[in-house]
């Protein structure tokens, strides 16, 4: 096989901030009060609600006794992505939503305390983990996002050699490139990836499986392969005018904003199509980049929005406008977008979940200079078919141990995330990475 | 990874954290769970002639939002048959041979009875004994517990009864309900004790219900004084441990007990002279699992200071405690307020104004109180720092007086020689 060139320490490029972070770190006083307010419940509901089952009572108790290193260890042992999760987890829906104090509406600020503890090891350069005794087994990980990193971390603790193949320049997937900077700093995402790399993970960056290296090479050269390539771009709307300049894929848009690359002139009015959490990020990002008006257009009603309630609230506070029951039919402009034609929609009254239908003759035109599509993500079907693994609607088919239909190939993260489940989340990807690592370890052990 | 192994008068345990003789060590089931959680040793719930307990038994002292800063109990020794306890001790020792199991004993001051009890418990495979001369309620009315522990001659006598019946180390557990604990510890040493442990609980009453006028806790409308323990008693215990540690007539190791809730408390006990520590209330509050952070926190603390073994802490700061006459009168500190972290609550101001030396200046600027210490008049009492809700906002800064150190002893001696 080709010799692998490990990349050295990840470089931290200078990235401009898109305004104030949403969450400021807690002050020492707040930490003290909050850590002592926790009841340290037994078999705590917060722990059960965390997809990675971080022992919250334990890590908060350790903050209270000043054992910050121990606290961070409890967090990161259970969740290798603990630094980013502390910032991007929808805690209201997870741990904090389950906290026993929630009844009084004052749950413990678990995410913020988690951030405090992990920042302690981050700021003090403390190493918490050491790789396991070498097993002589080699595992390839396709995709260095949250799922791939989590799997790689635990596989190194088990002593297996790990090579991550990552199409992009930097690791940590959407944490690095997709999550808006006022939620998650670029340097936190890279620090987190670096902790995994430091355990002796070989990284082949800018190496796309299927283009630069074939999947078959991997399955020949490695004892196990983990597919953790996430999802693809935002699909096209399928209406005229989509190729005009000023029409963006939300992920490209956020990525360019995050990396400080030019987005041209956004104009006065930005339209975002879609109503999920990615739409909220695109909306708030555009607003913070200086667009005067930013409007979300959605073909269903407010109640059917897939964005979390608190995300919706946040968008309102940022000054976003909302238009429900309308769908774009045509993007208009000469070279650059100048307007979008919409049609009103309605949901048929009959029972069941219905698709909205267009109301004939209800067309209207909105003057906009930028259009951002945020209607979900495509599936990386090429990778899956090249790997010879079965999919359902573009979602990789796995069993409860996250084995694909092909022996020796596992999958984790957004690529196995099926519609109708809860939102794709970093913390889910982290948990799946752990499950995959255990499953692969059992397989390699048995194969000895 | 530091070495946490502990040796108290020959009783070895993998770490210095033991469970005190109390409800958490009442049965084999509990002790097994405790060992699984990581406790280094246990002192079994006091064995003796089984008694009958009352309900209710405990009451807690809550202070503002903090529950259980103190706990009062009127429970007696074990209410389970001796044979049952001994069978379970045997099982626990077999399942966890590396942990310490100490048999706590209580008996009337009769030589034969002590010999009999010591031998029976020794046969169960304990690593040593602890004599309960501390229980301040109930048992003391029957001539046991603190009724023994409050009389040095009885301590010495009964200790010798136990010591002569066994080769195993005998620890004597002392009551704090005395004037000077050193007399009791010396008596135990004279009686042949291999170690002393302290403190047992302090005579106390938690309170009265304002509606019913029933005491808290009450047994059918009445109560008796109970024994007080928990975080609130830690300063009393620390002082007693340290007094004994520094006493030449107490040449035996000390197991520290009283208000220990976490690894930090434990480090303080070790530094001031304890060889290991025992815990009761904190486990009654949070369960056996707290030992995980005790060992982890101690480990990280030792690592961060480059200390290889926990036993290096034992007594390392004990001689920093001395008598008042040996303190340097020329050492000066004054309060300093960090304006950047001050939240302008004026707590420091009112404390100093009403209860110290009126040396914090308060100026309201645009509706915000600005606090500045008048360093010339500050006596360095610490009060403002103690009431300030913001950690490290008020710090005490050392002032160069230009004077050489001088203690009260030296000053009076100097004065005497000049007159
Ligand atoms: C805009 C946006 C905002 C989000 N906000 C949040 C949030 O606030 N909180 C939250 O919990 N979750 C959020 N998510 C979801 C979260 O980012 C994902 O669930 C998570 O990143 C999934 O991790 P993953 O490793 O499966 O995939 P990804 O993060 O997508 O990582 C996959 C990696 O694989 C690489 N790759 C792809 N194909 C190949 C190939 N052929 N060869 C080599 N490498 C390849 C990619 O470059 C990428 O680095 C958000 C998602 C988006 C799009
Ligand atoms: C309910 C209760 C029962 C106790 N029973 C005993 C006992 O049987 N024998 C004994 O030596 N000490 C007994 N103690 C005292 C404890 O062992 C310990 O000395 C005391 O509680 C101080 O430690 P703490 O502050 O950690 O609780 C008891 C304490 C409590 C709260
Ligand atoms: S549920 Fe709330 S109070 Fe209980 S342990 Fe979790 S964070 Fe603490
Ligand atoms: S803790 Fe509550 S339930 Fe358990 S014995 Fe005591 S009073 Fe009964
Ligand atoms: S007590 Fe502390 S926080 Fe309050 S005013 Fe004084 S210095 Fe400031």
């Amino acid at each position: 096989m080709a010799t692998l060139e490990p990349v050295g320490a990840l470089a931290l490029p200078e990235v401009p901030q898109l305004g104030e972070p949403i969450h400021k770190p807690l002050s020492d006083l707040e930490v003290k009060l909050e850590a002592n307010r926790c009841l340290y419940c037994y078999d705590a509901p917060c722990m059960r609600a965390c997809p990675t089952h971080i022992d919250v009572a334990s890590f908060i108790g350790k903050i209270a006794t000043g054992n910050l290193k121990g606290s961070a260890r409890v967090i990161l042992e259970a969740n290798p992505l603990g630094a980013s999760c502390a910032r991007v987890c929808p805690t209201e829906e997870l741990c904090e939503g389950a906290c026993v104090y929630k009844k009084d509406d004052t749950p413990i600020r678990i995410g913020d305390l988690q951030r405090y503890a992990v920042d302690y090891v981050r700021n003090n350069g403390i190493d918490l983990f050491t790789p396991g005794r070498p097993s002589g087994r080699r595992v390839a990980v396709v995709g260095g996002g949250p799922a791939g990193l989590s799997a790689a971390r635990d596989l190194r603790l088990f002593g297996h050699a790990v090579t991550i193949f990552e199409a992009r320049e930097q690791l940590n997937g959407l944490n690095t490139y997709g999550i808006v900077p006022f939620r998650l700093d670029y340097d936190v995402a890279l620090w987190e990836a670096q902790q995994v790399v430091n355990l002796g993970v070989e990284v082949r960056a800018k190496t796309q499986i299927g283009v630069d290296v074939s999947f078959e090479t991997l399955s020949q050269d490695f004892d196990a392969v983990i597919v953790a390539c996430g999802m693809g771009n935002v699909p096209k709307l399928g209406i005229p005018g989509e190729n005009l300049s000023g029409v963006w894929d939300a992920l490209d848009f956020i990525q360019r904003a995050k990396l400080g690359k030019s987005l041209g002139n956004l104009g006065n009015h930005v339209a975002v199509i879609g109503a999920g959490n990615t739409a909220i990020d695109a909306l708030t990002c555009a607003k913070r980049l200086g667009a005067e008006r930013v409007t979300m257009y959605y073909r269903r009603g407010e109640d059917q929005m897939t964005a979390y309630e608190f995300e919706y609230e946040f968008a309102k506070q940022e000054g976003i406008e909302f238009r429900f029951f309308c769908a774009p039919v045509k993007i208009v402009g000469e070279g650059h977008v100048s307007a979008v034609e919409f049609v009103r929609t309605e949901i048929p009254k009959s029972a069941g979940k219905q698709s909205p239908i267009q109301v004939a003759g209800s067309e209207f035109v909105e003057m906009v200079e930028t259009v951002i599509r945020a209607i979900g993500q495509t599936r990386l079907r090429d990778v899956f078919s090249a790997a010879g693994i079965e999919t359902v609607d573009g979602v990789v088919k796995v069993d409860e141990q996250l084995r694909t239909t092909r022996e020796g190939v596992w999958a984790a993260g957004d690529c196995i995330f099926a519609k109708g489940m809860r939102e794709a989340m970093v913390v889910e990807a982290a948990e799946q990475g752990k499950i995959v690592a255990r499953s692969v370890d059992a397989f390699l052990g048995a194969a000895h | 990874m530091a070495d946490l192994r502990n040796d108290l008068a020959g009783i070895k345990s993998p770490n210095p954290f033991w469970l005190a003789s109390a409800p958490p060590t009442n049965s084999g089931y509990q002790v097994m769970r405790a060992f699984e959680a990581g406790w280094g040793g246990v002192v079994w719930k006091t064995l003796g002639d089984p008694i009958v307990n009352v309900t209710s038994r405990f009451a807690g002292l809550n202070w503002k939002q903090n529950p259980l800063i103190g706990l009062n109990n009127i429970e007696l020794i074990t209410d389970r048959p001796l044979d049952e306890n001994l069978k379970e001790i045997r099982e626990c020792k077999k399942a966890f041979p590396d942990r310490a199991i100490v048999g706590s004993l209580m008996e009337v001051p009769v030589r034969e009875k002590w010999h009999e009890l010591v031998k029976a418990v020794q046969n169960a495979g304990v690593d040593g004994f602890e004599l309960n001369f501390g229980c301040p309620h109930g048992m003391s009315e029957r001539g046991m517990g603190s009724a023994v522990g409050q009389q040095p001659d009885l301590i010495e006598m009964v200790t010798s009864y136990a010591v002569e019946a066994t080769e195993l180390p005998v620890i004597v557990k002392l009551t704090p309900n005395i004037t000077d604990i050193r007399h009791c510890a010396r008596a135990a040493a004279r009686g042949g004790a291999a170690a002393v442990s302290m403190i047992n609980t302090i005579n106390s009453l938690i309170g009265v219900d304002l509606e019913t006028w029933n005491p808290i806790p009450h047994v059918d409308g009445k109560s008796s004084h109970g024994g007080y323990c928990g975080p609130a008693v830690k300063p009393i215990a620390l002082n007693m441990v340290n007094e004994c540690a520094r006493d030449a007539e107490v040449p035996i190791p000390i197991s520290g007990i009283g208000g220990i809730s976490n690894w930090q408390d434990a480090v303080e006990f070790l530094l001031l002279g304890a060889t290991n520590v025992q815990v009761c209330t904190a486990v009654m509050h949070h369960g056996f699992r707290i030992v995980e952070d005790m060992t982890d926190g101690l480990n990280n603390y030792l690592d961060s200071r480059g200390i290889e073994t926990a036993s290096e802490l034992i007594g390392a700061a004990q001689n920093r405690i001395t008598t008042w006459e040996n303190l340097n009168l020329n050492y000066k500190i004054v309060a300093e307020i960090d304006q950047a972290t001050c939240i302008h609550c004026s707590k420091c101001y009112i404390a100093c104004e009403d209860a110290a030396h009126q040396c914090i200046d308060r100026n309201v600027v645009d509706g915000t109180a600005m606090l500045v210490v008048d360093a010339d008049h500050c006596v360095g009492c610490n009060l403002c720092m103690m009431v300030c809700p913001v950690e490290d906002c008020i710090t005490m800064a050392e002032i160069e007086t230009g004077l050489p150190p001088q203690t009260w002893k030296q000053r009076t001696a100097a004065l005497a020689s000049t007159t």
Side-chain angles (χ1 to χ4, degrees), chain A residues 315-357:
Chain A
K316 285 189 208 162
Q317 276 162 25
E318 295 271 300
I320 307 300
E321 298 169 40
F322 299 88
R323 298 290 296 269
F324 295 101
F325 295 111
C326 54
V329 287
K330 187 160 72 177
I331 303 173
V332 191
E334 281 177 25
H336 194 92
V337 180
S338 59
V340 178
E341 189 179 314
F342 288 93
V343 62
R344 297 210 175 284
T345 54
E346 60 184 24
I347 311 272
K349 289 259 147 40
S350 52
K353 194 175 179 196
Q354 300 282 335
S355 287
I357 50 168

Side-chain angles (χ1 to χ4, degrees), chain B residues 257-337:
Chain B
I257 318 170
I260 295 155
S261 307
N262 53 44
W263 64 270
Q264 293 161 308
D265 296 332
V267 169
E268 292 179 85
F269 272 85
L270 297 189
L271 287 174
L272 292 185
T275 292
N276 72 8
V277 294
Q278 301 184 27
V279 178
C280 164
T281 303
V283 165
M284 292 181 71
H285 196 169
H286 299 293
F288 296 130
R289 62 197 165 134
I290 60 169
V291 74
E292 191 277 330
D293 185 54
M294 290 182 152
T295 48
D296 182 47
L298 175 60
N299 223 323
N300 288 339
Y301 173 78
L302 294 171
D303 285 353
S304 71
R305 300 180 70 97
I307 301 174
E308 280 167 19
T309 63
S311 44
E312 288 170 54
L313 297 177
I314 299 169
Q318 79 182 34
N319 293 328
R320 297 199 186 197
I321 316 290
T322 178
T323 44
W324 196 96
E325 62 178 4
N326 289 317
L327 303 179
N328 178 8
L329 298 168
N330 288 336
Y331 175 73
K332 281 276 173 273
I333 55 171
V334 297
E336 245 171 35
I337 296 176

Side-chain angles (χ1 to χ4, degrees), chain B residues 20-21 23 45-46 58 73 132 173 199-200 229-230 257-259 280-281:
Chain B
S21 173
K45 174 73 185 170
T46 302
F58 313 147
N73 87 88
N132 180 347
K173 183 167 177 180
I199 57 175
N200 210 310
C229 53
I257 318 170
C280 164
T281 303

Side-chain angles (χ1 to χ4, degrees), chain A residues 88-90 142-148 165-168 170 172-175 178-179 183 207-210 228-231 251 254 277-278 281 311 377 380 383 412-415 424-427 429:
Chain A
V88 308
C89 269
V142 181
F165 294 87
E166 169 53 56
R168 299 187 197 246
Q170 305 287 1
N172 219 345
L174 290 170
N175 268 345
I179 296 184
R183 227 180 263 291
T207 307
Q208 189 176 351
I209 297 304
C229 58
M231 292 193 267
L251 297 185
I254 294 167
N277 294 317
T278 301
D281 282 356
E311 293 275 25
Q377 286 174 264
L380 299 175
V383 180
D414 277 1
C415 65
M425 288 184 289
V426 175
V427 67

Side-chain angles (χ1 to χ4, degrees), chain B residues 336-339 341-349 360 369-371 384-385 387-390 393-394:
Chain B
E336 245 171 35
I337 296 176
D338 176 12
Q339 300 298 336
T341 53
C342 170
I343 58 173
H344 313 288
C345 66
S346 297
K347 295 282 290 178
C348 54
Y349 168 79
I360 295 181
M370 303 302 292
L371 295 304
C384 56
M385 176 182 75
V387 301
C388 178
V390 183
C393 174
I394 300 185

Side-chain angles (χ1 to χ4, degrees), chain A residues 190-255:
Chain A
L190 294 192
W191 174 83
E192 185 165 75
Q194 189 64 49
Q195 301 318 294
V196 178
V197 175
N198 287 349
L199 289 169
V201 171
E202 196 167 18
V203 180
R204 289 192 60 187
K206 292 193 264 184
T207 307
Q208 189 176 351
I209 297 304
V211 175
D212 304 309
V213 174
S214 77
F215 193 90
E216 283 318 307
T217 317
L218 296 189
S219 56
Q220 277 159 31
D221 292 350
F222 291 86
D223 299 304
V225 182
I226 296 167
V227 178
C229 58
M231 292 193 267
N233 289 336
V234 179
K236 295 264 177 177
L237 297 166
I239 57 174
E242 270 193 90
N243 293 328
L244 290 171
S245 92
V247 180
W248 292 96
D249 166 331
L251 297 185
D252 288 341
F253 183 85
I254 294 167
Q255 177 180 325

Side-chain angles (χ1 to χ4, degrees), chain B residues 351-360 377-381:
Chain B
C352 187
E353 197 68 8
D354 289 359
H357 297 262
Q358 303 81 45
C359 34
I360 295 181
H377 293 102
C378 171
V379 303
C381 73

Side-chain angles (χ1 to χ4, degrees), chain A residues 152-170:
Chain A
R153 204 286 302 265
D154 278 6
L155 286 166
R156 285 302 297 138
L157 298 190
F158 293 140
H160 306 302
V162 179
T163 304
I164 295 178
F165 294 87
E166 169 53 56
R168 299 187 197 246
E169 198 175 336
Q170 305 287 1

